Amino acid sequence: MMGSLIRYLLASYTRSYRYFAPIAFMLISVVFLYSYRPNPIMDSYAVTAVFLFVGSAWLGLNFHNHDLGRQTMLLIVHSGKALRFYAAQYITVSLLSILFSAFAVLYPVMFGMFDKPITFSELALGYAGHVAMSLLGISLSVFFQFGFMENQGRAAGLLFIVIIVSLAGQSIVQFDHAYWGIIPYLLPPVSVMMDLFMHADERSPAVKLLTIAYSFIYGFILLAVYLWTASRKDAASMIRKVG
């Protein structure tokens, strides 16, 4: 059932052509960054991880809005459970972003764009970080879809602000108050991941692992809140329709 639902959602999205802009953004951004060589490995991965975060948030918003909820009730009935439908939506768009994460990490390796041979640990850290950032972007975008905010102009603007604040999180710790250092971790930890990539040589394996794990956990908490909220929101709507 889940596999069939994912295939249907993917086919429905590709027929809408709303995928073109965010996917083009991610592909062109990566290719443009590596338009010359040589490039430093982890610094370049820091930039492409940000591209993936922004592009995935854009992709997630477009995916969840591509039919403006016209098929939602029908698909929930056929899938048998609202939670299954919303989870299938998330998995579908996540699979796309995971695919583009592989492209962003492997493209410079395949075409020899780095200034030195890449090690397995750098490749693993790069891919895990890109997947974490892409899932984080999608997890944020679900709260700005049409079902949550009918004014999509305002939703897109608010999502853009969240993206900017997330990117600027690490710069906040430059202020004098030491307790502000926790803010980048309370915000979507994009700046924390960027800092890890740019100072990977100075970080211990434990710090790298904890930073990656924290980014995944942050995204999964957002996903859990979304699934719980969306399922309850849908149940309330069905009750009103039934009367």
Side-chain angles (χ1 to χ4, degrees), residues 18 132 149 185:
R18 298 188 66 169
M149 300 185 70
Y185 295 90

Side-chain angles (χ1 to χ4, degrees), residues 174-232:
Q174 304 301 323
F175 291 95
D176 294 335
H177 301 289
Y179 58 83
W180 282 26
I182 196 174
I183 291 180
Y185 295 90
L186 297 178
L187 295 170
V190 180
S191 63
V192 177
M193 186 62 70
M194 291 171 60
D195 183 68
L196 174 66
F197 277 140
M198 290 187 291
H199 300 92
D201 294 338
E202 307 164 17
R203 302 290 190 268
S204 67
V207 170
K208 294 175 184 176
L209 182 62
L210 288 174
T211 303
I212 294 287
Y214 182 75
S215 298
F216 276 109
I217 291 171
Y218 196 104
F220 288 144
I221 290 175
L222 289 176
L223 171 62
V225 172
Y226 164 67
L227 292 177
W228 184 81
T229 307
S231 298
R232 287 176 60 85

